[in-house]
Amino acid sequence: MAWKGRLWSMMLEKRKQSRLHFTLVDPDRTSPRDVEKIARIARDAGSDFILVGGSLGVSPESTDAVIEAVKKYGIPVVIFPGALNNVSRKADAALFLNIINSDDPYYHGIAQVQGALIVLSHNLEPIPTCYVIVGYGGTAGFIVRARPIPYEKPDLIAAHSLACGMMGSKIIYLEAGSGAPKPVPPEAITMSKKLLEIAGIEALVIVGGGVRSVEAAKAVAEAGADGLVTGTIVEENPEILADIVRAFKGG
Ligand code: 1GP
């Protein structure tokens, strides 16, 4: 694949042109046939990347099948692993996660040590990513034993983002959880970007969870996010995905 090993530089290049949109596909919630439809809708809507991952019921086989289906539509695929069984050799790159507010020691070393050898043997490009779980947290938050940062604490969310940047993460992923009743607060995004700027740290801040409307996508963009991840909307209300992507990218 032309972009093998170049996904991170491609993200930076694309970011110079516009904000980035990611469509999340959960192999447990989507059959390969539905995935083809989702991939086509995502591509036509202007989504830049497909993230593949889930927290429950995901097998190596279902992950492989989903990635193969997506690849027919020529969109780069990045795994967003809920567990080691999501790490597929068929992907182009992997978000290599540091789950900064998990209380489980497994996610602070062991998971990364186990994952590193698989990522290497699968020849996947690792993209160091700090995962900050906020508010609702969803299934992901529960499974990784996160202590979600309250929505009402944007300064605390931003302090986590700064720490992520200082630890060398290239992507800081502010996550309210799939299906969250409300997204990450805009103030937290603005404060995160501000602190990173003051510290002279270049990292992409991407935001996901609970963005289901044009207004919400605009608010995330205006707050200064570099990227937006949506998953539920393409499953439940695909006809508005293009509007959401346009609103986020500012077109
Ligand atoms: C979950 O941030 C993503 O990791 C997407 O969330 O399904 O709510 O769009 P939604």
Side-chain angles (χ1 to χ4, degrees):
M1 196 57 77
W3 44 66
K4 197 87 183 172
R6 296 196 306 110
L7 250 283
W8 171 243
S9 49
M10 184 176 162
M11 272 184 204
L12 288 180
E13 277 308 307
K14 276 181 168 266
R15 176 64 188 102
K16 285 184 198 155
Q17 314 303 320
S18 75
R19 296 184 192 94
L20 307 173
H21 182 267
F22 302 76
T23 294
L24 174 69
V25 179
D26 182 340
D28 182 49
R29 294 197 341 203
T30 333
S31 71
R33 221 173 90 199
D34 289 343
V35 174
E36 294 217 14
K37 202 171 115 204
I38 287 174
R40 196 179 60 245
I41 293 167
R43 182 199 60 192
D44 294 348
S47 197
D48 302 286
F49 301 93
I50 301 281
L51 294 182
V52 176
S55 302
L56 272 185
V58 180
S59 67
E61 292 74 24
S62 62
T63 306
D64 283 356
V66 159
I67 295 173
E68 274 179 357
V70 170
K71 282 189 148 183
K72 293 182 192 161
Y73 293 87
I75 312 182
V77 182
V78 181
I79 50 163
F80 170 36
L84 296 177
N85 55 14
N86 278 184
V87 186
S88 164
R89 64 173 76 245
K90 295 185 184 292
D92 298 304
L95 298 185
F96 199 82
L97 297 174
N98 162 16
I99 307 176
I100 189 168
N101 58 331
S102 164
D103 274 349
D104 187 337
Y106 172 71
Y107 294 104
H108 294 284
I110 305 296
Q112 289 83 357
V113 170
Q114 290 184 314
L117 290 170
I118 305 176
V119 167
L120 183 67
S121 69
H122 287 2
N123 192 25
L124 292 167
E125 177 185 352
I127 303 177
T129 299
C130 200
Y131 197 42
V132 183
I133 301 182
V134 171
Y136 170 75
T139 306
F142 182 85
I143 294 289
V144 305
R145 296 179 208 260
R147 202 146 32 90
I149 309 169
Y151 284 115
E152 300 73 22
K153 286 281 177 193
D155 52 340
L156 189 54
I157 299 169
H160 280 68
S161 299
L162 179 63
C164 290
M166 287 185 171
M167 288 192 286
S169 296
K170 292 179 172 173
I171 291 180
I172 298 162
Y173 187 152
L174 303 181
E175 169 74 278
S178 186
K182 58 179 180 172
V184 171
E187 313 80 63
I189 302 165
T190 306
M191 287 174 85
S192 294
K193 287 295 293 183
K194 190 79 207 155
L195 287 182
L196 291 164
E197 189 195 318
I198 292 169
I201 294 166
E202 279 183 47
L204 299 181
V205 173
I206 71 173
V207 175
V211 175
R212 290 181 288 270
S213 68
V214 163
E215 293 69 31
K218 256 193 198 144
V220 172
E222 281 164 11
D226 299 291
L228 169 66
V229 184
T230 62
T232 304
I233 200 74
V234 77
E235 295 167 17
E236 293 183 357
N237 207 358
E239 57 281 359
I240 72 158
L241 182 67
D243 291 339
I244 286 183
V245 175
R246 204 175 307 113
F248 180 66
K249 290 191 172 185

